[in-house]
Amino acid sequence: MKRFFRVGDHVRWNSEAGRVSGTIIKRVTEDIMFKGYTHHASKDDPQYIIQSDKTDHQAIHKGTALRLIPRRKSSKVHERQRRARETRGSRSS
């Protein structure tokens, strides 16, 4: 099953060094030279250029090698939820 991602998606993949995570910075839909190698891509089978979170190095992978990391809720959302729980708790006392 082909997976399609968007620029800005946070993803992870397996490398020789273990699991790596990063952010998609470009969706490639045609053949491209990347670090001395030709990578084949098309609209139906794109590849993605990803910037590593830890090292800032860039890598290119097919969608089948990537796993989406769900976005976390912002701290403001967590704060609102915490206050709502406290308010509900104080009403029942």
Side-chain angles (χ1 to χ4, degrees):
M1 181 173 125
K2 292 185 175 137
R3 294 189 171 121
F4 293 96
F5 299 96
R6 295 185 213 158
V7 171
D9 280 350
H10 198 222
V11 295
R12 66 179 166 88
W13 66 97
N14 292 325
S15 76
E16 309 83 39
R19 287 199 177 128
V20 182
S21 63
T23 304
I24 294 176
I25 59 173
K26 185 174 182 179
R27 183 175 184 229
V28 179
T29 56
E30 53 190 44
D31 293 356
I32 185 173
M33 283 291 290
F34 188 82
K35 296 186 178 182
Y37 295 93
T38 301
H39 293 267
H40 300 286
S42 66
K43 288 183 180 183
D44 294 331
D45 194 18
Q47 294 214 24
Y48 301 91
I49 298 177
I50 308 138
Q51 186 153 2
S52 169
D53 290 336
K54 288 186 180 179
T55 64
D56 286 336
H57 284 103
Q58 293 181 355
I60 188 167
H61 291 290
K62 290 186 176 189
T64 54
L66 303 174
R67 302 289 178 262
L68 185 65
I69 298 174
R71 293 188 184 274
R72 292 185 174 179
K73 294 179 182 177
S74 71
S75 59
K76 289 181 182 179
V77 172
H78 286 291
E79 182 64 24
R80 272 188 270 142
Q81 290 174 342
R82 185 185 63 76
R83 287 182 185 164
R85 282 193 303 272
E86 288 175 355
T87 303
R88 283 191 300 251
S90 64
R91 287 184 194 162
S92 62
S93 300

